[in-house]
Amino acid sequence: MATFMDVHHGMNGITQDQLAQAHQADLAIEKDEHVHFMQAWADPESGTVYCLSEAPDAEAVQRVHERAGHRADEIHAVPFKV
Amino acid sequence: MATFMDVHHGMNGITQDQLAQAHQADLAIEKDEHVHFMQAWADPESGTVYCLSEAPDAEAVQRVHERAGHRADEIHAVPFKV
């Protein structure tokens, strides 16, 4: 398992409820791909959402996000953290 | 206080030690600006570093990063989180 930060652009105006619903949609199916979405943060002004996950690989992260209806624009493995 | 995600580009090849040292440099002076850097993640391959902080405003985040020698390329307020 590795840690990933993925980024969604164009989410301008996203609300706390929409962020929570999108996160719930990921959580509902993540086990199929052995992914766990841990945290997410949204900036409604620039339309940016960051998701932190543990997953076997970036493709598994994307498969969950795609099935949940919100494809990520970038997915970065983040092997280092403090 | 608000939550911010800032992003540094061009950090290709960054190591765990360098990430830890950069984070320590922030922690050493953050109180001057009433900022707290909570977590950071690095992708050495794309050269991207993400820092999560609590701060009075984005300018305070940037002042700490600048004094520590690593200006952020983007700073996003992230009022929503899950």
Side-chain angles (χ1 to χ4, degrees):
Chain A
M1 296 292 270
T3 306
F4 294 88
M5 182 73 81
D6 70 75
V7 187
H8 305 253
H9 299 295
M11 308 294 281
N12 305 69
I14 187 170
T15 65
Q16 173 68 41
D17 276 358
Q18 288 169 333
L19 179 67
Q21 281 169 25
H23 187 61
Q24 274 306 122
D26 289 327
L27 295 183
I29 59 171
E30 64 179 15
K31 282 197 178 57
D32 298 349
E33 298 284 354
H34 310 285
V35 173
H36 179 49
F37 286 95
M38 297 182 291
Q39 292 177 267
W41 301 268
D43 171 12
E45 212 172 290
S46 71
T48 314
V49 173
Y50 300 93
C51 301
L52 186 70
S53 64
E54 297 278 355
D57 52 42
E59 291 70 24
V61 173
Q62 190 65 288
R63 281 194 296 270
V64 175
H65 272 342
E66 278 186 338
R67 283 180 53 206
H70 44 251
R71 198 172 200 283
D73 296 300
E74 305 170 38
I75 304 180
H76 296 285
V78 284
F80 305 139
K81 49 199 131 168
V82 290
Chain B
M1 295 290 273
T3 306
F4 295 88
M5 182 74 80
D6 69 76
V7 186
H8 304 253
H9 298 295
M11 307 295 282
N12 305 71
I14 188 171
T15 64
Q16 173 67 43
D17 276 359
Q18 288 169 335
L19 179 67
Q21 282 169 24
H23 187 60
Q24 273 307 121
D26 288 327
L27 295 183
I29 58 172
E30 66 180 15
K31 281 196 179 60
D32 298 350
E33 298 285 353
H34 310 286
V35 173
H36 179 49
F37 286 95
M38 298 182 289
Q39 291 177 269
W41 301 268
D43 172 11
E45 212 172 291
S46 72
T48 314
V49 173
Y50 300 93
C51 301
L52 185 71
S53 64
E54 298 277 357
D57 53 42
E59 290 70 26
V61 173
Q62 190 66 290
R63 281 193 295 269
V64 175
H65 272 342
E66 277 187 338
R67 282 181 52 205
H70 43 252
R71 197 170 201 285
D73 295 302
E74 304 169 39
I75 303 179
H76 297 285
V78 285
F80 305 140
K81 48 199 134 169
V82 290

